[in-house]
Amino acid sequence: MQSSPTKAHPTNAEVNTAAAAIRAGRLVIFPTETVYGLGGDATNPAAIAAIYRLKGRPAHNPLITHVPDIASAEQIGVFSASARKLADAFWPGPLTLVVSMRTATDVAPAVTAGLATIAIRVPAHPVSQALLRQADVPVAAPSANPSGRLSPTRATDLATEMSGLGVQILDAGPCQHGLESTVIDTTRSAPRLLRQGAITAATIAERTGTNLAAPDRTGADRPPSPGMLLRHYAPLTPVRLDAAAAADDEVLLAFGPPPPDTKCFMLNLSPAGDLTEAAANLYHMLHVLDRYALDRYVLDGHTARAIAVAPIPNHGLGEVINERLTRAAASHGAPDLAHPAPRP
Ligand code: TXA
Ligand code: MG
């Protein structure tokens, strides 16, 4: 997959400037090993208000607070034995733990949407690590996309609403995992999966012996993770799943060997059928295909208007990929009034 060349790594000076910006109450777009985040000082109410405003995020959807290590996490959250075990096994890494918040923290109430619990993550990406250590404050950061849209896994995929904000962007090229962190609620008797993500439930069971309770869809989770709301992770054009082949007006997101005689514009999540590679490519390729379909790309006399997606095996990371794709496809049941698709 070609993309415009990106720098392998921001310079130390750029990271210093970004850390100073966060300390001064400004926002920064920075890379993690999952997706790019829009970060601000979690202890600064004005910075947090700006995050909600710029993302168009509903005030009841709490943010994840990023810190560089477990010791910093323990200053803001109370870790049960099960939370500690998960943290020891997967931090730094693409895992977010919901824990009880310490009463004496400086974290702005809006970060947790007023809840008594807080979602904490210790990212492994060297740029996140350097930024968090230098900023020396907890950094609240949702994915750097307008609410409901695809998460950016490359700086080049940032929506213009985000790249045009005038905030500093630390560009470190593609994110390793390409799916958001797995979110686990550890505040109940049994740890519960709130959002599937880069670490599968099977891997968590294997490495820690923890069998996660399934997400509660009865409404007992208040609030649910926005990742569990249906309208999410959406391209602007319609998405059709489990497509054996592309129709005349579709571009194709393939997986494994493409259907013979494919003539439409096509990107392949993983020609070798590797689910880890497919996860890393998923959002980026959806971004690119979305642009082709929105631009009504014409190939061999056929005008692209929608995205067809090949079947993805439903095991391991494939299950997570399918979960995100299902949301992307479902979102077209309801028009997105904030981002209307152009008329044909
Ligand atoms: O990979 C990631 O997690 C990325 C990078 C930037 O770290 N961040 C991310 O943030 O995906 P966001 O805001 O897009 O998703 C945060 C998720 C939401 O599903 C939210 O509901 C959940 O975490 N969450 C945050 N605080 C919570 C809490 N106290 N209780 C339950 N869920 C919470
Ligand atoms: Mg998000």
Side-chain angles (χ1 to χ4, degrees):
M1 177 70 228
Q2 292 89 33
S3 68
S4 48
T6 44
K7 278 181 297 173
H9 209 284
T11 63
N12 288 342
E14 286 169 325
V15 175
N16 288 348
T17 307
I22 285 181
R23 290 184 68 83
R26 295 195 297 277
L27 306 185
V28 167
I29 292 176
F30 68 101
T32 80
E33 70 275 28
T34 57
V35 301
Y36 277 78
L38 174 67
D41 178 354
T43 68
N44 183 326
I48 301 310
I51 291 177
Y52 280 93
R53 189 175 67 249
L54 296 175
K55 262 190 77 94
R57 184 177 180 109
H60 57 80
N61 281 345
L63 308 178
I64 296 174
T65 299
H66 299 67
V67 291
D69 49 39
I70 298 186
S72 318
E74 284 185 323
Q75 284 168 22
I76 49 180
V78 181
F79 283 66
S80 63
S82 64
R84 183 75 211 200
K85 193 200 248 184
L86 291 164
D88 285 341
F90 294 105
W91 279 356
L95 177 73
T96 295
L97 296 174
V98 174
V99 299
S100 300
M101 188 157 54
R102 285 199 186 280
T103 38
T105 78
D106 300 334
V107 173
V111 169
T112 61
L115 296 172
T117 59
I118 183 165
I120 308 179
R121 162 154 141 73
V122 175
H125 195 293
V127 175
S128 326
Q129 277 285 328
L131 179 69
L132 292 170
R133 289 191 188 280
Q134 299 220 24
D136 200 25
V137 288
V139 171
S143 47
N145 51 284
S147 190
R149 301 265 300 279
L150 291 169
S151 300
T153 55
R154 302 180 182 212
T156 45
D157 288 342
L158 287 165
T160 43
E161 292 94 320
M162 292 287 142
S163 59
L165 291 175
V167 310
Q168 188 184 351
I169 299 169
L170 292 173
D171 184 351
C175 299
Q176 181 197 342
H177 295 285
L179 292 171
E180 296 81 356
S181 62
T182 304
V183 181
I184 298 176
D185 179 2
T186 67
T187 64
R188 321 236 177 162
S189 48
R192 182 147 41 146
L193 187 61
L194 290 183
R195 179 178 73 184
Q196 292 181 289
I199 303 177
T200 63
T203 299
I204 289 167
E206 245 167 62
R207 297 256 303 266
T208 65
T210 306
N211 286 305
L212 297 172
D216 181 347
R217 300 194 189 278
T218 62
D221 280 326
R222 300 231 182 270
S225 291
M228 294 168 70
L229 298 178
L230 201 56
R231 175 150 184 40
H232 220 70
Y233 310 112
L236 298 177
T237 43
V239 174
R240 184 171 67 91
L241 304 184
D242 291 323
D248 282 349
D249 65 347
E250 289 175 330
V251 288
L252 178 67
L253 186 58
F255 176 84
D261 301 328
T262 299
K263 296 210 176 63
C264 67
F265 181 75
M266 173 179 67
L267 294 175
N268 200 323
L269 287 169
S270 172
D274 179 90
L275 290 166
T276 305
E277 181 185 22
N281 282 329
L282 179 69
Y283 291 149
H284 172 62
M285 291 187 173
L286 282 173
H287 268 287
V288 174
L289 293 176
D290 197 23
R291 266 177 251 147
Y292 273 79
L294 283 174
D295 291 349
R296 302 292 187 242
Y297 178 74
V298 178
L299 187 67
D300 285 342
H302 295 300
T303 305
R305 294 169 201 278
I307 303 170
V309 184
I312 314 290
N314 204 37
H315 58 78
L317 275 179
E319 221 182 293
V320 190
I321 294 171
N322 282 325
E323 192 258 359
R324 300 298 199 267
L325 283 170
T326 302
R327 294 175 196 283
S331 65
H332 280 273
D336 181 355
L337 298 176
H339 306 95
R343 290 183 182 284

